[in-house]
């Protein structure tokens, strides 16, 4: 998979082109403890290398330069005893299938020599201070060597547009990883629904989500983004991640959580009642969001513009806001006054892939981009009524609902990767009524509250 990604990028390069990529560094958390390492997505896409401090050179038609060289930390028995195994250059060629791999300390020398022969260089300036500095210094040095017949590359090209577009169109293998991420995440949401009861702490639910992600082999910490477990009015904070409150009888819980499998994200939101039964006011709001979400999912078809999900969902949410008595007037009046935005707040969709908010252009020639098979996007409308918002009938205050699925554009009907997560009122109440499996715990301590 990774070699084919490199080949696809090389196909966009011309003879005399050089491309430089830098992987993620370790980041210090405190003293001699680092944050958990997560490879930079673009670097992962091109290499499948999950080690820090790595770099990649791709070259086309440059004398004495192989088409690809991966630079990795060298083998070091002492460091490996302390902080973990390394591939080393030999291992990188053998296990990752690189034509050539070298010690990362040789990057400057090899890249510097190649720059002296390259006509153009591809580098994403502004992302890696170290790479930017190296490139600018090298170009300045080469400019001084005109009398030796050496000149710097004539242009610096941003690999972003090419790579972002390659990443936007998922291969069969990438879609398999995304199906797995979605299936694991669906199981996590089901488990949270079955376990929750009045008195459960938000972080207990977070723990079972993360337990499920890791149990099924999701990478690194397991999650694709910090999980949102928002009971009651916390659901009106879009990216609430404190997850430290008690879930109370009569409240809903909004969970926005997804695992990351082989570095591919799932992104699911569901809302369910703490005690297993929607109250009438909660149900009314929920059903409007559900109606908007289902109609929007149905528009995820090849040829439709990306923004159609938002347009379709927004119109239905406006009907809902009128029906609930939150807004007055006609749908067209509400739409043109944009008064709905106070309650819908965010857009309906984003690309999904190696990053939860994945790369890829949303517009082409100033028009919303047409969907193509292999693209994956979320569909996630919501309604949020802040607890202190007196413009909202009292019975709805403090209710926040978002429903989010991950959808693949196909040649026909949309493929909903997250379809195994209950969504109708009946399916959710049924999932909440399931007897919770015994958790692996000793119960020698009270859960802190
Ligand atoms: N989980 C972040 C989002 O839905 O965009
Ligand atoms: Mn999302
Ligand atoms: Mn989400």
């Amino acid at each position: 998979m990774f070699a084919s990604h490199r080949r696809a990028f090389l196909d966009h390069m011309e003879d005399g082109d050089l491309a430089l990529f830098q992987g993620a560094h370790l980041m210090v958390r405190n003293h001699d403890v680092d944050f958990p390492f997560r490879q930079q997505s673009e670097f992962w896409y091109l290499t499948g290398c999950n080690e820090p401090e790595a770099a990649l050179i791709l070259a086309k038609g440059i004398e004495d330069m192989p088409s690809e060289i991966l630079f990795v930390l060298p083998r070091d028995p002492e460091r490996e005893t302390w902080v973990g195994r390394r591939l080393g250059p030999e291992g990188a060629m053998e296990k990752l299938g690189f034509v050539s791999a070298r010690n990362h300390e040789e990057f400057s020398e090899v890249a510097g020599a190649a720059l002296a022969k390259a006509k153009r260089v591809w580098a994403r300036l502004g992302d890696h201070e170290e790479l930017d500095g190296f490139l600018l210094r090298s170009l300045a040095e080469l400019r001084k060597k005109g009398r030796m017949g050496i000149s710097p590359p004539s242009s610096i090209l941003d690999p972003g547009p090419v790579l972002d577009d390659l990443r936007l169109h998922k291969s069969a293998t990438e879609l398999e990883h995304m199906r797995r991420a979605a299936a694991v995440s669906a199981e996590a949401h089901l488990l949270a629904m079955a376990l929750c009861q009045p008195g459960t702490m938000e972080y207990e639910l977070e723990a079972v989500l993360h337990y499920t992600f890791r149990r099924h082999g999701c990478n690194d910490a397991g999650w694709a983004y910090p999980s949102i477990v928002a009971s009651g009015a916390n659901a009106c904070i879009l990216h609430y991640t404190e997850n430290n409150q008690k879930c109370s009888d009569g409240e809903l819980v909004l969970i926005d959580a997804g695992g990351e499998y082989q570095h591919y994200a799932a992104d699911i939101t569901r809302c369910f009642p703490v005690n297993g039964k929607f109250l009438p006011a909660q149900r009314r709001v929920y059903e409007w969001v559900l109606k908007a979400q289902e109609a929007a999912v149905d528009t995820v078809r090849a040829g439709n513009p990306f923004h159609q999900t938002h347009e379709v969902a927004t119109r239905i949410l406006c009907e809902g806001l009128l029906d609930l008595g939150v807004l007055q007037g006609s749908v067209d009046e509400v739409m043109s006054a944009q008064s709905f935005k106070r309650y819908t707040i965010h857009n309906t969709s984003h690309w999904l892939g190696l990053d939860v908010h994945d790369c890829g252009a949303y517009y082409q020639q100033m028009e919303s981009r047409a969907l193509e098979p292999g693209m994956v996007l979320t569909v996630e409308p919501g309604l949020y009524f802040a607890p202190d918002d007196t413009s909202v009938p009292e019975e709805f205050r403090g209710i926040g609902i978002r429903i989010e699925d991950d959808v693949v554009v196909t040649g026909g009907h949309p493929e909903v990767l997250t379809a195994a997560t209950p969504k109708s009122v009946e399916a959710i109440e049924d999932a909440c009524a399931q007897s919770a499996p015994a958790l692996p715990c000793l119960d020698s301590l009270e859960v802190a509250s």
Side-chain angles (χ1 to χ4, degrees):
M1 173 168 98
F2 305 105
S4 73
H5 296 164
R6 294 194 293 280
R7 273 197 302 278
F9 186 76
L10 276 158
D11 284 345
H12 285 82
M13 292 170 65
E14 294 177 5
D15 270 350
D17 278 5
L18 188 73
L20 307 178
F21 301 95
Q22 173 76 61
H25 297 298
L26 284 170
M27 281 177 66
V28 176
R29 183 176 188 271
N30 50 40
H31 193 49
D32 56 355
V33 176
D34 295 320
F35 281 104
F37 178 74
R38 202 284 191 176
Q39 186 56 278
Q40 197 253 359
S41 295
E42 182 172 280
F43 198 81
W44 173 259
Y45 181 81
L46 289 169
T47 65
C49 172
N50 208 28
E51 293 189 2
E53 322 305 332
L56 171 69
I57 297 182
L58 297 178
K60 193 161 184 176
I62 297 182
E63 208 186 328
D64 299 329
M65 277 294 289
S67 60
E68 55 181 31
I69 310 177
L70 182 72
F71 294 82
V72 287
L73 293 167
R75 299 292 313 272
D76 178 337
E78 198 204 329
R79 290 308 297 152
E80 289 182 61
T81 300
W82 280 91
V83 295
R85 296 185 182 91
R86 293 176 179 179
L87 286 167
E90 293 293 324
M93 287 190 280
E94 195 186 312
K95 299 208 170 90
L96 303 180
F98 272 83
V99 171
S100 173
R102 304 179 67 152
N103 182 333
H104 80 141
E105 285 176 358
E106 296 171 54
F107 174 79
S108 310
E109 186 190 328
V110 176
L115 276 168
K117 297 184 241 170
K119 293 190 187 127
R120 310 189 307 173
V121 58
W122 298 74
R124 208 195 263 271
L125 292 177
D127 267 9
H128 295 276
E129 242 173 73
E130 215 178 296
L131 186 65
D132 293 354
F134 163 77
L135 188 57
L136 298 179
R137 278 192 308 277
S138 303
L139 296 181
E141 283 304 310
L142 288 173
R143 250 183 255 122
K144 295 178 198 159
K145 296 190 173 165
R147 272 173 288 162
M148 296 159 71
I150 294 172
S151 54
S154 61
S155 35
I156 302 175
L157 302 163
D158 183 359
V162 170
L163 270 172
D164 291 357
D165 218 60
L166 290 172
R167 280 176 54 188
L168 182 56
H169 296 83
K170 272 71 178 175
S171 66
T173 309
E174 291 181 290
L175 287 175
E176 273 312 307
H177 293 332
M178 295 191 75
R179 283 188 194 104
R180 178 78 183 164
V184 171
S185 306
E187 182 169 312
H189 279 257
L190 274 162
L191 186 55
M193 288 178 195
L195 278 166
C196 187
Q197 52 186 318
T200 303
M201 298 302 292
E202 291 170 344
Y203 48 66
E204 285 183 84
L205 299 178
E206 178 185 346
V208 300
L209 296 166
H210 295 180
Y211 165 75
T212 309
F213 298 157
R214 287 297 283 152
R215 192 167 96 84
H216 291 299
C218 285
N219 51 267
D220 306 322
W223 41 261
Y225 54 92
S227 299
I228 296 164
V229 183
S231 63
N234 295 333
C236 299
I237 302 167
L238 299 183
H239 287 168
Y240 170 84
T241 51
E242 287 163 80
N243 301 351
N244 59 4
Q245 299 298 305
K246 191 173 275 182
C247 303
S248 301
D249 202 6
E251 287 180 342
L252 297 177
V253 188
L254 178 153
I255 294 185
D256 183 346
E260 185 175 272
Y261 187 76
Q262 295 289 322
H263 293 86
Y264 287 84
D267 184 7
I268 307 182
T269 309
R270 289 294 187 269
C271 303
F272 59 88
V274 170
N275 65 15
K277 285 277 173 207
F278 282 87
L279 295 171
Q282 294 166 341
R283 185 177 178 140
R284 279 186 72 196
V285 182
Y286 187 89
E287 289 199 319
W288 274 112
V289 179
L290 181 62
K291 188 173 175 190
Q293 203 263 358
E294 288 180 333
V297 167
D298 196 51
T299 70
V300 179
R301 291 167 192 273
N304 284 347
F306 172 85
H307 281 96
Q308 197 160 338
T309 57
H310 190 58
E311 278 156 25
V312 165
T314 301
R315 201 164 181 88
I316 297 173
L317 292 178
C318 286
E319 284 173 35
L321 288 165
L322 296 172
D323 176 67
L324 298 171
V326 175
L327 293 175
Q328 279 73 43
S330 69
V331 171
D332 287 334
E333 281 164 1
V334 166
M335 296 272 291
S336 68
Q338 307 261 296
S339 47
F340 61 86
K341 280 197 169 168
R342 173 171 180 164
Y343 314 106
T344 62
I345 308 180
H346 55 79
N347 280 326
T348 302
S349 296
H350 56 78
W351 304 129
L352 185 71
L354 286 171
D355 293 336
V356 64
H357 295 166
D358 209 29
C359 57
Y362 288 96
Y363 291 88
Q364 280 181 328
Q365 282 90 46
M366 310 287 280
E367 298 281 335
S368 180
R369 180 171 196 159
L371 299 178
E372 295 164 40
M375 294 175 170
V376 184
L377 57 150
T378 65
V379 179
E380 48 176 309
L383 284 176
Y384 308 91
F385 301 128
D388 55 355
D389 188 343
T390 51
S391 73
V392 175
E394 203 169 344
E395 58 181 329
F396 302 126
R397 288 183 209 157
I399 295 178
I401 306 281
R402 177 164 66 257
I403 305 174
E404 176 172 30
D405 280 313
D406 305 342
V407 188
V408 185
V409 185
T410 73
H413 295 293
E415 179 188 349
V416 181
L417 296 175
T418 43
T421 328
K423 195 160 72 169
S424 69
V425 165
E426 296 69 30
I428 285 177
E429 290 187 344
D430 194 46
C432 292
Q434 296 301 308
S435 48
L439 282 179
C441 58
L442 295 175
D443 265 343
S444 59
L445 298 169
E446 289 293 309
V447 173
S449 61

